[in-house]
Structures are given as structure tokens and as C-alpha cells.
Amino acid sequence: MTSVTDTASSLDQEHHHGPAKGLMRWVLTTNHKDIGSMYLWFSFVMFLTGGAMAMIIRAELFQPGLQIVEPAFFNQMTTMHGLIMVFGAVMPAFVGLANWMIPMMIGAPDMAMPRMNNWSFWILPFAAVMLVSTLFMEGGGPNFGWTFYAPLSTDYSPPSTTFFIFAIHMLGVSSIMGAINIIATILNLRAPGMTMMKMPLFVWTWLITAYLLIAVMPVLAGAVTMMLMDIHFGTSFFNAGGGGDPVLFQHIFWFFGHPEVYIMILPSFGIVSAIIPAFARKHLFGYTSMVYATASIAFLSFIVWAHHMFTVGIPLIGELFFMYATMLIAVPTGVKVFNWVTTMFRGSMTFETPMLFSTAFVVLFTIGGFSGLMLSIAPADFQYHDTYFVVAHFHYVLVPGAIFAIFAACYYWLPKWTGHMYDEPLAKVHFWMSFIGMNLTFFPMHFVGLAGMPRRIPDYALQFANFNEISSVGGFMFGTTQLLFLFIVIKCIRSGAKAEAKPWEGAEGLEWSVPSPAPYHTFTTPPDVK
């Protein structure tokens, strides 16, 4: 996709080793663009893998009664789907976008540590293969949910759990190295004149995300290490029979897990903050407030972890603290939504595919935010906890939030990456099929959740049948549509029309560089009115 001689680090590689050819070029590359491309392709393969598991889940839940898989395998699918989507699809995709765009956005020749960049990528395929291979081991793969609560994951787990723990460690090491590299690049390699408050918001959101990663990945490593000790070395960290506490696991896991949720959404904020101003032909409204809002969200994400644990019996004062702290996150998030909407207000908007995905992001992510606010209310959460309402909430945050933003970024930057334009009409079909499929899948889950359908079950009562049928049809629609995305990207790379130097400028005959005259405010008197 790009020449290996693009950057100083790659020239260094050629000088010492001669030009790398064919497959070895990709194995040895230190070029940020090559590595970014590999991250993106890897994440798409994982996206399809995790998606196939979701299809099995939705096929089983199409109607009540056992249909296609055994309950034990269903549990393995729910576990692996979550783990693969979080660690294999969403996070590597954002790291791929960071690799591609951050050096170019700040005027750097490459990432600060190109060889470590290569290493942090190549750990991923091995970790992913190890994770997926657990499904083929004796006793099957992990069957205890993607949150792997002890003692279910320690005392009652299949033998493959040890390999699962090792895979999680490797994924964490990769994330930490990628984060260190991003921080070093942003702080040290900015072009002269590129001050912190002039950086594009995508760079800001990734800088903050990288600090989050470094803070929380060791916490996850600690949790799985204690699991390993409980399984093999006779310790009792999470075993009440030996003086341990199963709730301790939940505290440690969610101290990692809640900031992790924001790790998967903050880069989306940066992407959307780049795309909406472009297609509204206006500067982003409230840049400074966006930076501070992002930092506020990151800080607050560390002090709300126990809102996942309202039902474990924490003291009332604890419930109140975590309830109010969680509600507080709605403030900086609301600032962001306000700024995006205000940026669009009275802009000369056109709706090419990146803008469609970004607009859908704002609307649907807000719905996910509102259901999150409902879940933050402790007494109400006792009713919602472990129902499909929770599943609906976090999928409304992660599918339109993370995945739609990744699609928007790919369409927006594909002309820059490949030199070719993608097929716009086909891309719009991809958007509308994804939009309709996603809402058909997850909106009915709010209703079955409020009616009492528990999550993570392979079978359910008859009264939930109709909504589950709609969800399954929507799920298959959303899943198969992603094959169209694959076709659009390959077609763009191989035979797309040549992209112009500024591909979005002339999209509808509007020049970004010549903004239309500012409209009169509705609250002032125009000069021609006496």
C-alpha cells in the first residue's frame, strides 16, 4: 500500500539489510503506515471472527428451545465473542488508525520507536491464535463470560483457562508498548509550531487514551496472575474457603474494565471531531472545551468502577458515591455532544459516507449514554442488572460508538491511504444496511431486558420470542453487510478512481478554503430591517 522507503527508519532498515521483498517486507517493516495497515487488517479479521460467534449466539436465540448448539458451547461463544471484539477488533483498529495518522497529523517522520512498533503488532496474531485455539482444547474454551468472574473462572473452569490467561497477558503487553510509543511520539516528535493546543483532537484523544492504557493494563495483568495462582499454586485470592474474596476479583477487574470502556470510545471522539467539521465546512465548535472534556472523562473513568457491582452488597455510602460519580460523567460527555451538534448547526453540510457514519455515531451514542444514565441509578440498577437491558446499553455505546467511528475513519482516510476513491453509492448501501441492522438487533433488547430476560442464557421464556426473532434477523443483516465493506475496501485498493489531492473539497462543488459568508444570527436585527 505504501513504499517501505517512506521514512527514515525504513531507510535505515534498507541500509543495513538491503530492501526487504515480498512477505519479509511486512514482517520486518518499521514504517508506521505499513504497521497501521497490518493493525487494521488484523482487526478486520478478528471483527469477522467475533462476528461469526455473534451469529451463532443470535441463531441459537432466534426462537426458544435448543436449536443448533449445546449450552456449554453457547457459553464459550458469548465469552469469546466479547474478548475477541474488545481485544482483537476494536483496540487494534484504533491503534492502527493511530499508527497511520498521528505521525502525519503532528508532522513526525514516523513513530518514536519504530522497531518496538513492529514488535507490538506481531505479538497480536500469536495472542489471538492462542485465544481462539482454546476452543479446540480438551474441555473447550473459556465458558465464564468475557468478564471471567472468579470463582467461576478459577474453580470451575476448563483446563484451557491457563492458555486464555497467557493470551490476555500478551494482548496487554502489546497494548502497553503501543501506548508508550504513542505518548513518546506525540510529546517528542511534533513539528515546530505544533503546540499541544494546536494538535488535532484525534491526537489529543489518543494521547489521553494511551495514558489510560498504561494505567489499567497492569491491573488486568494482576487479576489474571492471581487467577493463575489460584488455579495452579494453591493460593486463595478469590476463594472464600481459603480466606479469599470472590468480590475482590470484581473490584480488580472493573478497576481495569471501566477505564477500558473509555479506551474503546475516546479515539472515536477524536475521529468524529475531525469528520464533522470537514463535512459541515466549519471549524469545530469549542476545541478547548473538547480537550478538557476528554481529560475529565478519562479522570472520572477511574472512580466509577463499582457501578458494575451495585448488587454485590457494597455499603450504602459506596453506592451513593459511585452513583453520583457515574452521573457526573454525563456532563463532559454532554459537552462533547453539544459541540458536535453546534458544529453542524448552520454548516454547509453534505452527507458523504464518513459524515453519515459520524452523524449516526452522535445520535446512537447519545441513546447509549442515556441508557447508561439509567443504569447509574443504584436502586434502578437492581432491576436492570444482568438483564438484556445492559446488553442493549453497551452495544449501543460500542457498535455505533467504536465500530461506526472506525468505519467513518476508514472511508474518510481511504483516499489518503490508497490514492483511490472508494465506491460512494456502495458505501452508502453499507451504511444504511449497518444502521438498520444495528438498530434492529439491539433496540428490542431494551424491551426484553426491562421485561426481565436475563443475559448469557442459551434459552428463554416464550414471551420474549418475538423481540428475539427481530434481534436475530437484524444481527444477520448487520453481520452479512460487513462482507460488503470488505468488498468496497478491496475494490478501492485495486481499481478505485484516482483520488484528488484534496478528495473531499469538491465533493458537492463546495470549497472548504472559501467558507460561505457568516449567516445573520436569528437573535440580531439584519441591517436592512429598519
Side-chain angles (χ1 to χ4, degrees):
M1 210 181 283
T2 56
S3 164
V4 206
T5 56
D6 268 358
T7 58
S9 61
S10 305
L11 285 168
D12 164 64
Q13 178 183 317
E14 289 211 354
H15 177 71
H16 290 296
H17 306 292
K21 299 285 191 216
L23 180 65
M24 290 312 286
R25 167 203 161 175
W26 295 98
V27 174
L28 300 175
T29 183
T30 53
N31 182 317
H32 71 100
K33 299 175 182 178
D34 285 350
I35 294 169
S37 299
M38 290 195 297
Y39 265 111
L40 289 167
W41 279 111
F42 168 79
S43 101
F44 190 69
V45 170
M46 288 289 102
F47 179 56
L48 293 183
T49 307
M53 293 171 179
M55 297 302 96
I56 293 170
I57 294 166
R58 286 311 330 164
E60 179 57 50
L61 294 174
F62 183 70
Q63 58 186 36
L66 275 181
Q67 292 138 69
I68 56 167
V69 294
E70 291 299 313
F73 186 70
F74 181 89
N75 291 342
Q76 291 171 36
M77 288 294 97
T78 53
T79 303
M80 295 296 281
H81 165 71
L83 290 167
I84 285 172
M85 286 306 200
V86 170
F87 294 108
V90 172
M91 289 170 69
F94 282 137
V95 178
L97 293 169
N99 262 293
W100 248 105
M101 299 312 300
I102 286 175
M104 293 198 282
M105 284 178 164
I106 63 173
D110 202 305
M111 297 296 280
M113 291 169 268
R115 294 183 196 281
M116 188 168 89
N117 203 15
N118 173 287
W119 189 31
S120 66
F121 169 75
W122 280 111
I123 288 172
L124 282 182
F126 292 96
V129 167
M130 181 175 293
L131 189 59
V132 175
S133 70
T134 56
L135 291 170
F136 304 98
M137 295 177 187
E138 187 181 353
N143 59 358
F144 31 67
W146 83 272
T147 53
F148 44 98
Y149 279 4
L152 195 59
S153 57
T154 51
D155 295 352
Y156 307 101
S157 58
S160 63
T161 304
T162 307
F163 292 91
F164 151 80
I165 288 171
F166 189 37
I168 293 291
H169 267 303
M170 291 169 70
L171 292 162
V173 168
S174 169
S175 291
I176 290 170
M177 287 200 297
I180 290 169
N181 213 342
I182 286 165
I183 291 170
T185 304
I186 295 170
L187 296 186
N188 295 320
L189 295 187
R190 298 194 308 282
M194 171 67 75
T195 61
M196 295 290 275
M197 293 310 282
K198 286 183 181 170
M199 297 193 309
L201 261 174
F202 180 68
V203 181
W204 257 116
T205 53
W206 243 116
L207 178 65
I208 292 165
T209 302
Y211 278 109
L212 284 182
L213 276 167
I214 290 173
V216 302
M217 290 321 263
V219 179
L220 177 67
V224 293
T225 303
M226 285 191 262
M227 277 175 63
L228 190 75
M229 303 293 280
D230 273 13
I231 293 167
H232 293 292
F233 299 104
T235 57
S236 295
F237 289 110
F238 309 128
N239 182 355
D245 186 358
V247 177
L248 172 66
F249 178 88
Q250 295 191 32
H251 279 292
I252 297 168
F253 178 85
W254 286 117
F255 192 79
F256 146 80
H258 198 79
E260 167 67 23
V261 173
Y262 289 95
I263 287 164
M264 291 191 286
I265 202 71
L266 290 184
S268 299
F269 295 165
I271 291 164
V272 170
S273 300
I275 293 172
I276 287 177
F279 290 94
R281 276 80 181 172
K282 282 173 67 183
H283 285 295
L284 179 73
F285 180 88
Y287 170 91
T288 310
S289 64
M290 290 293 247
V291 173
Y292 284 112
T294 308
S296 307
I297 290 169
F299 169 73
L300 289 170
S301 74
F302 279 98
I303 58 168
V304 296
W305 77 90
H307 67 209
H308 298 269
M309 302 168 53
F310 281 144
T311 57
V312 304
I314 55 179
L316 182 62
I317 188 71
E319 285 187 4
L320 286 170
F321 170 80
F322 286 107
M323 180 169 84
Y324 292 135
T326 304
M327 288 177 171
L328 202 57
I329 287 193
V331 176
T333 311
V335 168
K336 286 182 163 296
V337 173
F338 174 82
N339 286 0
W340 291 322
V341 172
T342 311
T343 304
M344 289 190 262
F345 181 65
R346 290 197 161 179
S348 302
M349 285 201 290
T350 55
F351 289 95
E352 285 78 41
T353 311
M355 185 60 165
L356 286 173
F357 272 110
S358 299
T359 314
F361 166 94
V362 174
V363 175
L364 299 178
F365 175 77
T366 303
I367 292 173
F370 278 129
S371 61
L373 203 55
M374 291 171 67
L375 287 161
S376 73
I377 301 166
D381 184 75
F382 276 77
Q383 315 302 316
Y384 307 140
H385 191 81
D386 267 342
T387 70
Y388 258 83
F389 188 83
V390 179
V391 180
H393 155 68
F394 70 72
H395 281 91
Y396 258 87
V397 173
L398 284 176
V399 179
I403 293 170
F404 275 23
I406 292 163
F407 286 148
C410 289
Y411 284 123
Y412 185 59
W413 285 317
L414 260 175
K416 190 175 199 66
W417 295 342
T418 64
H420 300 154
M421 270 310 278
Y422 62 85
D423 186 324
E424 183 69 49
L426 265 186
K428 283 185 171 163
V429 171
H430 171 233
F431 166 74
W432 285 111
M433 295 280 283
S434 296
F435 179 82
I436 294 165
M438 180 262 148
N439 282 291
L440 271 180
T441 308
F442 300 113
F443 205 76
M445 291 182 186
H446 291 100
F447 304 134
V448 293
L450 291 175
M453 180 173 163
R455 62 196 277 206
R456 292 183 183 156
I457 50 165
D459 201 2
Y460 53 86
L462 193 59
Q463 70 261 33
F464 305 127
N466 290 348
F467 278 135
N468 270 289
E469 205 167 282
I470 295 168
S471 280
S472 290
V473 169
F476 277 94
M477 181 177 173
F478 182 82
T480 50
T481 304
Q482 306 323 314
L483 298 174
L484 176 62
F485 177 64
L486 178 63
F487 174 76
I488 292 166
V489 171
I490 292 172
K491 182 176 180 231
C492 173
I493 294 167
R494 292 172 66 104
S495 60
K498 191 173 187 306
E500 296 174 26
K502 294 183 178 177
W504 299 115
E505 251 188 13
E508 297 289 330
L510 286 162
E511 293 290 330
W512 294 353
S513 52
V514 188
S516 52
Y520 292 120
H521 294 300
T522 51
F523 46 81
T524 59
T525 309
D528 56 338
V529 177
K530 298 292 181 220

